Amino acid sequence: MSATIDFWFDFSSPYGYMMSERIDALAAKHGRDVKWRPFLLGAIFKHTGGQPFSTQPLKGPYSKHDLERSARFLRLPYQMPDAFPISTHQACRVFYWLESRNPQRAHDFAREVFRAYFTENQDISQVEVLQAVGAKLDIAAEAVAGATGDDAVKSHLREVCEAAIGNGVFGSPFVVIDDEPFWGVDRLPQIERWLAEGGF
Amino acid sequence: MSATIDFWFDFSSPYGYMMSERIDALAAKHGRDVKWRPFLLGAIFKHTGGQPFSTQPLKGPYSKHDLERSARFLRLPYQMPDAFPISTHQACRVFYWLESRNPQRAHDFAREVFRAYFTENQDISQVEVLQAVGAKLDIAAEAVAGATGDDAVKSHLREVCEAAIGNGVFGSPFVVIDDEPFWGVDRLPQIERWLAEGGF
């Protein structure tokens, strides 16, 4: 059992974005570190038969409404992107390429990718957009482009997705604390009590 | 727009049971009434293609765990029934038969049905079990049996399920306040703020 909190997410997950804006501070308050673990929800859905909520009858329209309300509830900026859902394997590859060199930089990059997508309506499936995000953190455009074609990184990302399935991850966000799994940003109150009381 | 809160649920929904134990007191605190509207989730799933969470890979095992934790979080007694999921059309029919005669009695019956199923492991798909629940409220066994075969009630239940779809209801529990829809017992904090602030 690790004191570190695992935060699994897909970069195209709006509820994942909301969790990304809350989990670090909540963990820090209780002396915990958070390991950010982006993965590809599409790879999981192939395994589970799951589908993006946005395409489901009744649930789709509700979810768009619920997302805006949940952002207001959490007092977070939020804008549903025009391009949705999108492929996030390029963003993941850049993340893991950075992580193998400088975990803090990878973390900062991930935060900015989420914000670019969910507050600035930028299509983060595009390498040029990822390069622009990287530029804010002084990451060279060539490094970003190189990461997206890096075979070791591709292989590592596949392993991460397999590890997600192995850990029972079926959605985003998915937070694991002391082997206890929490699915969804709406589990924040339970996470908070878990951290405060050491389980309940 | 009605000041009354609509509480849609299926009697076999564990999160619906949890909502049933909280929504009345929360509404009363803010001067609101709650109309309980049991429906058949199976009828909705035929329309939406939805599936019970309990049968889905990864999500199924997680959900069983999450249900127990959520009950502890809400400090509610809870026991996953051996028979699950079950058909709840008989319970619905008795409910609406009672409601047409005495709404308060229907409400009390619904509460007891939920408790029998989720705290006493009683199979509420069985008419004898519904009769035993009714007996606690001095409802005659013959009246319960009669309600389950009542053509007017059957027809009314079909209308309720169509109304659920018409109102965008796709899961249980589903709470509608001032035309604002809230799906899931995990929306209780948002419901509370909505009632306190008149929307947000």
Side-chain angles (χ1 to χ4, degrees):
Chain A
M1 198 161 89
S2 160
T4 298
I5 293 171
D6 282 317
F7 167 38
W8 299 88
F9 61 92
D10 185 298
F11 278 113
S12 77
S13 161
Y15 296 115
Y17 152 70
M18 295 180 205
M19 181 64 85
S20 81
E21 295 284 353
R22 287 288 175 271
I23 191 65
D24 286 350
L26 187 54
K29 194 174 146 191
H30 298 281
R32 303 279 199 127
D33 292 323
V34 183
K35 187 175 171 67
W36 287 32
R37 308 194 75 174
F39 69 100
L40 302 175
L41 200 49
I44 309 295
F45 284 169
K46 273 184 199 163
H47 178 76
T48 61
Q51 286 186 333
F53 56 74
S54 59
T55 63
Q56 296 174 37
L58 300 182
K59 203 169 177 177
Y62 170 83
S63 294
K64 280 173 192 156
H65 186 81
D66 183 66
L67 283 164
E68 291 173 3
R69 187 179 61 213
S70 293
R72 294 196 304 274
F73 183 73
L74 293 168
R75 307 192 196 283
L76 288 173
Y78 170 78
Q79 182 187 352
M80 188 69 187
D82 290 325
F84 182 86
I86 53 165
S87 166
T88 58
H89 60 282
Q90 305 287 38
C92 281
R93 287 176 188 167
V94 178
F95 174 89
Y96 284 111
W97 185 88
L98 288 169
E99 195 191 45
S100 68
R101 283 149 184 83
N102 183 337
Q104 183 58 47
R105 180 159 278 205
H107 187 285
D108 294 343
F109 176 78
R111 185 180 301 286
E112 294 299 328
V113 168
F114 260 142
R115 290 179 178 172
Y117 190 44
F118 288 112
T119 73
E120 296 168 11
N121 195 27
Q122 294 189 45
D123 181 354
I124 58 160
S125 69
Q126 304 301 311
V127 176
E128 314 87 77
V129 171
L130 298 175
Q131 288 174 316
V133 170
K136 290 188 199 175
L137 305 167
D138 292 323
I139 300 165
E142 310 83 64
V144 170
T148 63
D150 187 296
D151 283 338
V153 161
K154 289 181 188 179
S155 167
H156 180 62
L157 178 55
R158 278 191 292 273
E159 287 163 14
V160 167
C161 293
E162 282 163 23
I165 294 171
N167 279 273
V169 176
F170 57 84
S172 168
F174 205 96
V175 170
V176 182
I177 307 173
D178 310 334
D179 295 333
E180 183 80 6
F182 298 88
W183 173 44
V185 72
D186 41 32
R187 287 296 174 276
L188 273 170
Q190 293 195 17
I191 289 173
E192 183 150 25
R193 190 188 293 175
W194 190 275
L195 289 171
E197 301 181 3
F200 62 83
Chain B
M1 200 158 88
S2 159
T4 298
I5 294 171
D6 282 316
F7 167 39
W8 299 87
F9 61 91
D10 185 298
F11 279 113
S12 76
S13 160
Y15 295 115
Y17 153 70
M18 295 181 206
M19 181 64 86
S20 81
E21 295 285 352
R22 287 288 175 268
I23 190 65
D24 285 350
L26 188 53
K29 195 175 146 191
H30 298 281
R32 304 277 200 127
D33 291 323
V34 183
K35 187 174 170 66
W36 287 32
R37 307 193 75 175
F39 69 101
L40 301 175
L41 200 49
I44 309 294
F45 284 169
K46 273 184 198 163
H47 178 77
T48 62
Q51 287 186 332
F53 56 74
S54 59
T55 62
Q56 296 173 39
L58 299 182
K59 203 169 177 177
Y62 170 83
S63 295
K64 281 174 193 157
H65 186 81
D66 182 67
L67 283 165
E68 290 173 5
R69 187 179 62 213
S70 293
R72 294 196 304 273
F73 183 72
L74 293 168
R75 306 191 195 285
L76 288 172
Y78 170 77
Q79 183 188 352
M80 187 68 186
D82 290 325
F84 182 86
I86 53 165
S87 166
T88 58
H89 61 282
Q90 305 286 38
C92 281
R93 288 175 187 166
V94 177
F95 174 88
Y96 285 112
W97 185 88
L98 289 170
E99 194 190 44
S100 68
R101 283 149 184 84
N102 183 335
Q104 182 58 48
R105 179 160 279 206
H107 187 286
D108 294 342
F109 176 77
R111 184 180 304 286
E112 292 301 327
V113 169
F114 260 143
R115 289 179 180 172
Y117 190 42
F118 288 111
T119 73
E120 295 169 12
N121 194 26
Q122 295 190 44
D123 182 353
I124 58 161
S125 69
Q126 304 301 312
V127 175
E128 315 85 78
V129 171
L130 298 175
Q131 288 174 315
V133 170
K136 291 188 199 175
L137 304 166
D138 290 324
I139 301 165
E142 309 82 65
V144 171
T148 63
D150 186 297
D151 283 336
V153 161
K154 287 182 189 177
S155 167
H156 181 63
L157 178 56
R158 277 191 293 273
E159 286 163 13
V160 167
C161 294
E162 281 161 24
I165 293 171
N167 279 273
V169 176
F170 58 84
S172 168
F174 205 96
V175 171
V176 182
I177 308 173
D178 309 335
D179 294 334
E180 183 79 6
F182 298 88
W183 172 44
V185 71
D186 41 33
R187 288 295 174 278
L188 273 172
Q190 293 194 17
I191 289 172
E192 184 150 26
R193 191 188 293 175
W194 190 275
L195 289 171
E197 301 180 4
F200 62 83

